[in-house]
Amino acid sequence: MKIWKSLLILLIIIANLAFAQPSFADRPKFSKNPDYIEVTKAINELTQAKEAQTQVEGVTPEEIQQKIDDLAFQKYALETGINWGQCENKTGNTVAVYGKIPNSEENEDAVYDNGLYFLADGQSTKNNWDCDGFYLPNDVTISGLTADGQAQEFTEAVAIKIPDGSKLAIKTNPNNAAIEINVPNAQIVKANEVNWFIPNVSQALIDTRVPNAPTMKS
């Protein structure tokens, strides 16, 4: 009888160790996350500019503080373990967004690090699905990525990358039809800079695609 009790206690101890093991594992070091490094750098640069009262062309001190506040929330999200981004389409058109390919680590035939998905107007990508950014068609301009807020157009295909922890809202300016976004430190990336599929196509072609991005309603 004592042997059975001893075995039962031993089994309970082993089970507890097995279930508790994840709690002993090291949490991912957010300080080494490239997005965290970029967010921290941007906050420091804007804070220094504000403290030195350095005039940034086309940007008021209030707008600088707003950018700092937005970035502070991004930094906090990364510090608390949110390692995914979310994209919301408010453009009136279909938007091509980037996200991880299912089982890409196990798929030897995967050509790109990220897949291209299509997000319908009025839709948001679902929680915990990492939206890394979106594609900018060759006939569409974007504003808000420069200090003066002017609309930019590009002679080559580009994508817009957002940091983890961001909730990206993509809108269309009714006055000039330029794309507007709410993430102050979004980056322009080109095909030779990231292993993403960045085609050279128009918005009209994007609009012909069937929406297939994982969404809040799907």
Side-chain angles (χ1 to χ4, degrees), residues 12-183:
I12 292 173
I13 293 173
I14 292 173
N16 285 336
L17 288 174
F19 286 111
Q21 187 175 2
S23 64
F24 298 138
D26 291 334
R27 293 182 63 185
K29 296 185 181 299
F30 60 80
S31 60
K32 295 183 178 180
N33 185 323
D35 288 342
Y36 184 82
I37 294 171
E38 288 297 325
V39 167
T40 303
K41 178 182 177 182
I43 290 175
N44 292 338
E45 290 176 350
L46 289 171
T47 301
Q48 290 173 6
K50 181 184 175 184
E51 291 177 350
Q53 297 184 345
T54 303
Q55 182 64 38
V56 180
E57 184 178 356
V59 182
T60 66
E62 292 76 18
E63 289 172 331
I64 292 178
Q65 184 59 52
Q66 180 63 51
K67 290 178 183 284
I68 293 173
D69 294 340
D70 291 340
L71 291 169
F73 269 103
Q74 286 185 27
K75 184 179 179 183
Y76 176 75
L78 292 168
E79 290 172 342
T80 53
I82 299 178
N83 58 357
W84 51 276
Q86 187 172 51
C87 295
E88 182 180 11
N89 180 6
K90 297 181 177 181
T91 64
N93 300 103
T94 299
V95 170
V97 299
Y98 290 95
K100 294 294 183 290
I101 299 173
N103 301 320
S104 59
E105 294 181 357
E106 302 173 3
N107 185 0
E108 296 180 355
D109 295 329
V111 178
Y112 299 101
D113 295 335
N114 269 346
L116 196 62
Y117 300 81
F118 301 96
L119 184 65
D121 179 47
Q123 295 290 308
S124 297
T125 55
K126 69 178 183 180
N127 292 342
N128 296 309
W129 187 82
D130 188 14
C131 182
D132 283 324
F134 68 101
Y135 170 73
L136 190 71
N138 59 20
D139 56 349
V140 175
T141 59
I142 186 169
S143 60
L145 296 181
T146 59
D148 58 10
Q150 295 298 311
Q152 294 174 271
E153 57 181 343
F154 302 91
T155 57
E156 58 186 308
V158 300
I160 309 300
K161 182 180 182 296
I162 62 171
D164 289 341
S166 303
K167 183 173 182 179
L168 174 70
I170 312 167
K171 301 179 181 180
T172 300
N173 186 310
N175 297 320
N176 58 14
I179 291 293
E180 295 181 338
I181 59 176
N182 63 327
V183 176

Side-chain angles (χ1 to χ4, degrees), residues 177-195:
I179 291 293
E180 295 181 338
I181 59 176
N182 63 327
V183 176
N185 58 328
Q187 296 180 336
I188 301 166
V189 293
K190 301 175 182 178
N192 63 343
E193 297 172 338
V194 291
N195 188 28

